[in-house]
Amino acid sequence: MAKSSLSFVCQNCGAAYNRWQGKCEACGEWNTLSEEDNATAVPVSIRSKRKGRQFALESLSGKSQDAPRLSSGMAELDRVTGGGFVRGSVLLVGGDPGIGKSTLLTQATAMMARAGHRAVYISGEEAIAQVRLRAERLGLADAPVQLAAETSVEDIVSTLSEGAVPRLIVIDSIQTMWTDTVESAPGTVTQVRASAQALIRFAKKTGAAIILVGHVTKDGQIAGPRVVEHMVDAVLSFEGEGSQQFRILRAVKNRFGPTDEIGVFEMTGLGLREVTNPSELFLSERDLGAPGTAVFAGIEGTRPVLVELQALVAPTSLGTPRRAVVGWDPSRLSMVLAVLEAHCGVKLSGHDVYLNVAGGLRIQEPAADLAAAAALVSSLVNAQLPTDAVYFGEISLSGVVRPVAQTAARLKEAAKLGFGRAVLPESARGEVAGDAGLTLNPVGGLTTLVAEIAARGVPRGNREGSRDATAVEKNATPARFRRENG
């Protein structure tokens, strides 16, 4: 008979220990070890002596058929998944509580059901009446979606095996599922891993696409063992701020498509609305007359996105100035500040620096260095940047502005939205096919851009002065800037 043994498993990362301890040595979290009763393996002497099954070997020169995909009816969701759901694939969707995961999946299942496909929505957290209330609020109560509230994996697999194979199955959420094969409580690492394995086996056997909803921890990581993320075919992250109406669906892992695509949605009273042109949405409430704002022409996957970077540089009363950034990498902000001080004479050691990406979007590419530097210098010297200009370029540690990829796509998107000029790296000018209707301002080094912005600066509180006084201040600004900042 199998021998029972006790082990202590970390509920954050899945590491197992033979005794309890306060801190998990694998992930560094405290008080995450819980006791679980596991059965040891059957002794070798009584194992079944089944012979291995022979299988066919294929050559590299054979023809491979493209994986058949099924459109979800939502263009933004199809963009992130790589063109639609692949038969037999399993997707894991994570996000903060209340961000809109259930709303998104309810809309997706309703659209597929209306298209004539069998779509099943199984909720382990809500009752059937609660899911129906959401569907009525979204105007989807008439969609032929098959609904159930169940947590037993064996019962779910047995029910779905009857009749036609569902094309899409939503499990909300995987942390509430449990299986009879293990004796742990629902939500533990062992139960989550075993339940996910059973559902993945069902998807590969029948060809149904399954979407698993996963909870997230306080630091934004999907809860449960990391091995579940390796087992599934795609991991999608639903991001957004509670105070913003924008929602970003990002692919963290995708075996059947790219991982740098994003889908943009807007949360409304009738559910999530797809945003086909995110640039107009991110720039809709832009303040055209405020110093410290610059428009960055970025690329998210294959889609160009224009977003506003906001900077605030203020004198500090603390011994150590604050450096706060939202939507961008803090280490890149520190690097840009160091380059400005070392090569451009911009002294920011006595100022607090705040940088924000408007609209709740998180920028990951280094092409935003030039726009961030322009916004920081603009806020420091109180200079308004041209309202019809976009900025993009990577800043090296020597102060040289380096080229970035897909310059033509960035310029085309800026011209489509009515911008008239672009500040871009000097070496990227030869990559532009035509001028795209924009006035190009190539910049070889960061010093040139800083001098141009400083020449337009005016003292605080004197922006509404006379034209002559403003002209005098503009002419005196470069000398004052060099005198005060080194």
Side-chain angles (χ1 to χ4, degrees):
M1 296 179 61
K3 183 179 179 181
S4 177
S5 64
L6 296 178
S7 63
F8 297 88
V9 181
C10 176
Q11 303 303 307
N12 183 57
C13 66
Y17 302 89
N18 56 6
R19 63 182 181 86
W20 185 90
Q21 55 190 35
K23 180 180 180 181
C24 176
E25 299 177 356
C27 62
E29 294 292 331
W30 288 86
N31 298 325
T32 58
L33 269 64
S34 64
E35 182 179 343
E36 295 185 7
D37 188 2
N38 297 324
T40 58
V42 179
V44 180
S45 58
I46 60 175
R47 289 181 185 174
S48 61
K49 301 183 182 300
R50 184 182 65 87
K51 295 183 178 180
R53 177 180 57 87
Q54 295 182 355
F55 54 89
L57 299 176
E58 303 288 343
S59 63
L60 293 176
S61 59
K63 295 183 179 180
S64 299
Q65 298 180 355
D66 295 334
R69 294 182 180 270
L70 180 63
S71 175
S72 64
M74 306 179 70
E76 294 297 309
L77 180 57
D78 291 341
R79 174 190 292 270
V80 178
T81 56
F85 300 125
V86 178
R87 290 179 56 88
S89 63
V90 180
L91 294 80
L92 179 62
V93 179
D96 295 332
I99 201 67
K101 301 185 298 296
S102 300
T103 301
L104 173 66
L105 299 179
T106 301
Q107 294 181 222
T109 52
M111 290 183 179
M112 292 193 63
R114 286 176 175 176
H117 305 289
R118 184 187 179 191
V120 181
Y121 190 99
I122 298 178
S123 176
E125 300 179 348
E126 298 175 308
I128 294 179
Q130 294 173 318
V131 180
R132 286 175 176 170
L133 286 176
R134 183 190 304 115
E136 292 177 0
R137 177 175 56 87
L138 300 177
L140 304 174
D142 58 338
V145 177
Q146 295 181 338
L147 181 63
E150 185 58 52
T151 58
S152 174
V153 174
E154 284 77 15
D155 295 343
I156 293 174
V157 171
S158 177
T159 302
L160 297 180
S161 300
E162 298 294 332
V165 177
R167 297 304 301 271
L168 179 64
I169 304 171
V170 175
I171 305 295
D172 188 7
S173 64
I174 188 60
Q175 275 79 15
T176 60
M177 299 292 117
W178 63 276
T179 175
D180 294 335
T181 57
V182 294
E183 297 181 358
S184 302
T188 58
V189 171
T190 305
Q191 280 286 1
V192 171
R193 182 171 54 242
S195 300
Q197 180 61 42
L199 293 172
I200 292 173
R201 191 183 306 112
F202 174 78
K204 303 302 180 183
K205 180 180 178 181
T206 61
I210 298 181
I211 300 179
L212 306 177
V213 179
H215 296 168
V216 295
T217 58
K218 58 183 179 182
D219 57 351
Q221 301 294 327
I222 297 179
R226 297 302 298 268
V227 68
V228 175
E229 299 185 25
H230 302 305
M231 293 162 56
V232 298
D233 298 308
V235 179
L236 307 181
S237 176
F238 206 37
E239 306 170 356
E241 298 292 338
S243 58
Q244 299 283 351
Q245 69 269 29
F246 314 125
R247 300 291 186 268
I248 307 296
L249 183 63
R250 190 186 305 273
V252 181
K253 168 191 173 182
N254 193 354
R255 291 174 179 167
F256 307 109
T259 57
D260 52 1
E261 291 284 0
I262 65 169
V264 184
F265 300 87
E266 181 183 7
M267 180 62 74
T268 64
L270 297 177
L272 291 169
R273 183 182 67 86
E274 299 180 70
V275 179
T276 57
N277 193 347
S279 300
E280 291 183 350
L281 190 62
F282 291 138
L283 300 177
S284 59
E285 300 179 0
R286 181 183 170 209
D287 188 1
L288 299 178
T293 60
V295 177
F296 164 60
I299 294 290
E300 291 289 343
T302 58
R303 165 190 286 172
V305 176
L306 269 62
V307 66
E308 183 184 36
L309 297 186
Q310 303 170 349
L312 176 61
V313 180
T316 183
S317 59
L318 305 175
T320 302
R322 290 200 55 172
R323 302 288 186 261
V325 56
V326 178
W328 201 38
D329 188 4
S331 60
R332 294 210 67 87
L333 174 62
S334 301
M335 188 204 72
V336 171
L337 295 177
V339 173
L340 287 173
E341 183 167 354
H343 298 286
C344 305
V346 181
K347 303 296 183 181
L348 295 172
S349 58
H351 293 77
D352 292 332
V353 176
Y354 303 90
L355 186 68
N356 176 51
V357 179
L361 182 67
R362 179 166 183 82
I363 299 175
Q364 298 179 347
E365 60 173 337
D369 293 349
L370 194 63
L376 291 170
V377 177
S378 170
S379 177
L380 177 64
V381 302
N382 195 30
Q384 178 183 350
L385 297 178
T387 58
D388 62 340
V390 296
Y391 300 80
F392 60 91
E394 180 182 356
I395 298 176
S396 65
L397 293 179
S398 60
V400 178
V401 181
R402 305 181 63 226
V404 294
Q406 304 188 41
T407 300
R410 303 173 195 263
L411 296 179
K412 183 178 179 180
E413 179 71 10
K416 184 173 65 175
L417 294 179
F419 287 87
R421 68 183 72 180
V423 181
L424 70 166
E426 174 73 30
S427 56
R429 182 166 50 179
E431 303 177 5
V432 181
D435 57 1
L438 297 176
T439 301
L440 304 183
N441 183 15
V443 177
L446 188 58
T447 307
T448 304
L449 179 63
V450 172
E452 293 178 357
I453 298 176
R456 294 191 294 265
V458 296
R460 302 282 180 181
N462 194 30
R463 296 184 59 192
E464 302 297 335
S466 63
R467 180 179 304 176
D468 296 338
T470 303
V472 173
E473 290 296 339
K474 284 185 177 181
N475 294 331
T477 296
R480 176 182 61 84
F481 182 75
R482 291 192 296 268
R483 182 173 63 256
E484 292 181 0
N485 296 283

